[in-house]
Amino acid sequence: MNRIKVLWVDDEIDLLKPHILFLEKKNYEVMTCQSGTEAIDILDEENFDIVFLDENMPGLTGLETLHEIKEKQDSLPVVMITKSEEEYIMEEAIGNKIADYLIKPVNPNQILLSLKKNLDHSRLVSETTTSNYQQEFRKIAMDLAMVNSFEAWASLYQKLIYWEIQLEDIEDTGMFEILESQKVEANIQFGKYIENNYADWFKAHSDAPIMSHTLFKEKVVPEVSKKQPTLLLVIDNLRYDQWKVFEPIISNYFKKEKEEAFYSILPTATQYARNAIFSGLMPSDMEKLFPEYWRNDTDEGGKNLHEADFLKAQIKRLGLNDIVYEYYKITNLKNGKKLAENFKSLKSNDLTVVVYNFVDMLSHSKTEMEVVKELASNDKAYRSLTLSWFKNSPLLEMIQQAQQLGFKLILTTDHGTINVKNPSKVIGDKDTSLNLRYKTGRSLTYEKKDVLVSKEPKELHLPSINMSSSYIFAKSDLFFAYPNNYNHYVSYYRNTYQHGGVSLEEMIIPFVVFNPK
């Protein structure tokens, strides 16, 4: 193993001999020099792992040297060492991306800590994370054997996401594979839980979670007031793990007041779940009360073109007639930019609702486009791609403006999505719905073990296309495939992101409330 090479730049380097001997005993290779100019020349000739740089030197100052080093080798860690506690020096050094900032006199252990923090950081984090997960693994396995409530399932899923994000960058890929197997097992058990309990959630006086159709009344309305404008942001198709990678960015502008998980209704598809949020009704009630707005799977035309109408009716039904509100749906970059440009005009509303469709478009385009399929080949890549979009989106501009204008921010979604990996054969007639994660129609033939089946849709408050209609929902990471042209169909859709079925990823989703910093 090669020794770590350190360049130490200080005009009083002779006084630091004990520190250098200490590091050499720890197996670090240390080269020294006494000026910024000399340091620049050395760095042109040799490679180093890290630089210790004195701030106060004659000739080229430490800050000037730092600037030149960063121009040549931006990724080289530089630790600034100074006698001065002047704030402007700290700020300028930090602005130039220093790795650490130490104030003289420094002791050998401070130097060693800085080296480990900057050069051994990933190894130490990896080892500690692995050790911590190994301990947590047993607890998760025990929880998995006992979990039997919607609250406990939400908590367990949040725990799995936490560890998934912690483990995704560590060097021990074996641990990540163990977690993946725990997620698979969790989804199998969750499918059984939903099969046994979902229909009961709609019975009178039952203990039920907040769901799509109760979210607005129970969670959004209590947050809306005349004293502060509220921005309700519904990011379509946003999984819980994607929200968690957004969170640090939003935290730059807003302070989180509460975060809760709620459950998407079945099917976990936009036309059902999002319409349920805005109408405050289950699909069968939407069909009955608003036949002019509701479209069944086999009907012609767009299935979620009337969210604004549903919202208007719900606000009226809840007696919120004094609330000043507006609804916007963003389906492309141009619309997003336009709303961001005009965002200041929304401050006079009590409630502004923005549905942002990008994540949905991204997941669907993954099915259609080989480039996106390559970029989002697994959950880690999918999170990364979504985060990259978010950082450069008009949506982030809106969030920044909302903070400046003093808005309360509510962030949520209609359902999540799952990477489907295994086909399940299904046969239906020409009127069977097309979704890969759920089917509704007559005379469906399917693998019983693979699905949650509802032969009485009214029990799940779902509309029946005809008298003998039933619904089937794919469990875990399955997707439905027809026997004809089976191999082509399976290779085309395997490892794409779909929604509509029963999984932790699709059903357990975030509701988060923020106030501006």
Side-chain angles (χ1 to χ4, degrees):
M1 181 178 167
N2 292 331
R3 290 206 299 169
I4 288 170
K5 288 181 69 176
V6 179
L7 176 63
W8 199 324
V9 190
D10 195 307
D11 61 316
E12 298 177 325
I13 199 71
D14 293 342
L15 302 177
L16 298 169
K17 192 70 176 172
H19 295 63
I20 292 161
L21 290 171
F22 173 80
L23 291 180
E24 286 174 342
K25 282 181 181 176
K26 295 284 184 182
N27 210 30
Y28 291 93
E29 182 181 330
V30 185
M31 179 180 278
T32 63
C33 66
Q34 293 181 289
S35 73
T37 306
E38 197 181 346
I40 300 299
D41 291 341
I42 291 170
L43 287 167
D44 283 339
E45 298 294 324
E46 291 192 52
N47 291 320
F48 290 86
D49 296 292
I50 193 166
V51 176
F52 286 117
L53 179 62
D54 183 30
E55 187 276 320
N56 187 19
M57 296 185 294
L60 211 58
T61 68
L63 287 173
E64 289 166 342
T65 306
L66 172 64
H67 183 70
E68 291 212 20
I69 291 171
K70 286 295 176 181
E71 275 196 348
K72 290 170 181 282
Q73 297 186 47
D74 187 50
S75 60
L76 178 63
V78 178
V79 177
M80 183 71 81
I81 303 175
T82 177
K83 289 177 183 171
S84 172
E85 295 187 44
E86 291 276 359
E87 191 175 351
Y88 82 92
I89 293 174
M90 293 184 196
E91 287 181 352
E92 194 168 336
I94 292 165
N96 276 291
K97 303 180 189 174
I98 56 161
D100 208 348
Y101 193 95
L102 303 177
I103 294 172
K104 291 182 177 180
V106 290
N107 66 51
N109 281 326
Q110 279 178 289
I111 298 294
L112 187 61
L113 180 62
S114 189
L115 283 167
K116 287 192 175 294
K117 188 164 68 175
N118 285 289
L119 301 176
D120 284 358
H121 179 264
S122 60
R123 178 183 63 80
L124 294 169
V125 168
S126 180
E127 287 174 3
T128 304
T129 304
T130 299
S131 172
N132 290 344
Y133 173 64
Q134 285 171 334
Q135 294 173 35
E136 191 71 11
F137 169 82
R138 298 176 190 87
K139 189 172 185 306
I140 292 171
M142 287 170 59
D143 289 347
L144 206 45
M146 298 167 62
V147 61
N148 197 32
S149 70
F150 59 81
E151 299 99 334
W153 271 113
S155 176
L156 181 67
Y157 178 47
Q158 288 165 322
K159 193 177 289 185
L160 286 168
I161 287 168
Y162 169 80
W163 283 109
E164 184 175 9
I165 293 171
Q166 292 295 308
L167 290 169
E168 72 178 18
D169 292 322
I170 70 164
E171 292 159 15
D172 186 350
T173 55
M175 280 296 107
F176 197 78
E177 287 164 10
I178 291 169
L179 176 74
E180 284 295 301
S181 69
Q182 275 199 321
K183 275 177 65 184
V184 169
E185 176 61 23
N187 259 326
I188 291 168
Q189 298 304 326
F190 182 69
K192 292 175 184 175
Y193 170 77
I194 293 296
E195 194 165 29
N196 293 331
N197 293 276
Y198 183 76
D200 292 339
W201 291 348
F202 300 102
K203 293 177 181 174
H205 311 299
S206 72
D207 186 22
I210 297 293
M211 297 171 73
S212 310
H213 64 301
T214 56
L215 182 74
F216 189 82
K217 178 183 176 182
E218 299 295 334
K219 292 297 176 183
V220 177
V221 170
E223 300 294 339
V224 178
S225 76
K226 290 279 185 185
K227 296 175 184 176
Q228 181 185 21
T230 297
L231 173 63
L232 170 59
L233 190 55
V234 182
I235 305 177
D236 190 32
N237 219 349
L238 185 75
R239 288 155 45 123
Y240 216 108
D241 59 332
Q242 290 169 312
W243 140 242
K244 294 313 285 185
V245 296
F246 283 1
E247 184 175 6
I249 299 173
I250 296 177
S251 295
N252 291 326
Y253 310 100
F254 283 88
K255 180 183 176 185
K256 185 169 71 175
E257 300 294 335
K258 65 179 73 168
E259 176 183 337
E260 302 171 49
F262 76 102
Y263 279 71
S264 169
I265 62 164
L266 294 174
T268 48
T270 305
Q271 76 196 69
Y272 291 91
R274 197 159 77 205
N275 279 328
I277 290 173
F278 289 119
S279 67
L281 301 168
M282 285 297 288
S284 58
D285 296 318
M286 285 184 260
E287 182 192 43
K288 183 169 68 178
L289 297 172
F290 298 97
E292 69 274 31
Y293 301 151
W294 178 258
R295 296 283 182 277
N296 281 314
D297 282 84
T298 53
D299 293 338
E300 294 293 318
K303 306 296 190 286
N304 49 302
L305 300 177
H306 295 284
E307 291 158 6
D309 299 308
F310 280 131
L311 178 61
K312 183 179 179 180
Q314 180 173 196
I315 284 174
K316 184 178 178 183
R317 192 171 70 250
L318 295 174
L320 302 171
N321 299 322
D322 61 334
I323 292 291
V324 179
Y325 78 94
E326 285 185 280
Y327 168 91
Y328 295 89
K329 185 190 288 187
I330 305 302
T331 56
N332 56 53
L333 183 63
K334 184 180 176 184
N335 288 350
K337 285 182 174 178
K338 186 177 177 183
L339 186 57
E341 286 167 8
N342 299 318
F343 195 85
K344 284 182 181 175
S345 66
L346 305 177
K347 193 181 179 184
S348 56
N349 296 335
D350 301 316
L351 174 65
T352 300
V353 179
V354 176
V355 172
Y356 215 100
N357 258 15
F358 182 85
V359 178
D360 189 53
M361 287 187 281
L362 175 67
S363 68
H364 287 308
S365 66
K366 184 183 183 308
T367 305
E368 306 297 335
M369 292 167 57
E370 286 302 318
V371 175
V372 184
K373 211 169 181 178
E374 189 74 27
L375 287 170
S377 58
N378 55 38
D379 286 353
K380 178 183 175 182
Y382 193 30
R383 283 192 292 272
S384 177
L385 185 59
T386 315
L387 180 61
S388 178
W389 158 73
F390 180 65
K391 285 178 176 177
N392 298 285
S393 69
L395 181 58
L396 182 54
E397 287 179 48
M398 289 180 214
I399 288 169
Q400 291 165 337
Q401 289 192 63
Q403 182 250 346
Q404 291 161 11
L405 295 167
F407 276 72
K408 177 181 286 188
L409 173 64
I410 301 174
L411 183 145
T412 191
T413 185
D414 45 10
H415 55 76
T417 183
I418 187 167
N419 190 328
V420 294
K421 294 173 183 172
N422 299 298
S424 178
K425 283 186 180 175
V426 67
I427 301 171
D429 63 22
K430 62 182 176 58
D431 292 325
T432 302
S433 61
L434 299 174
N435 190 286
L436 272 70
R437 290 280 293 163
Y438 76 93
K439 298 285 182 192
T440 180
R442 292 176 296 186
S443 309
L444 294 171
T445 305
Y446 47 84
E447 299 283 347
K448 286 185 180 178
K449 65 178 175 33
D450 294 347
V451 305
L452 184 159
V453 60
S454 173
K455 293 184 177 176
E456 296 291 337
K458 64 183 179 185
E459 290 182 359
L460 304 189
H461 294 260
L462 296 173
S464 297
I465 296 170
N466 56 60
M467 292 294 288
S468 57
S469 280
S470 59
Y471 282 78
I472 55 170
F473 305 96
K475 296 178 183 176
S476 301
D477 61 1
L478 297 164
F479 65 100
F480 293 127
Y482 295 112
N484 51 326
N485 210 7
Y486 181 78
N487 290 333
H488 169 75
Y489 193 85
V490 167
S491 65
Y492 188 76
Y493 285 107
R494 191 195 298 275
N495 198 36
T496 63
Y497 285 88
Q498 304 294 335
H499 52 82
V502 178
S503 69
L504 294 158
E505 290 89 335
E506 291 161 290
M507 289 189 76
I508 300 179
I509 45 181
F511 176 84
V512 197
V513 180
F514 306 86
N515 266 305
K517 281 189 171 179

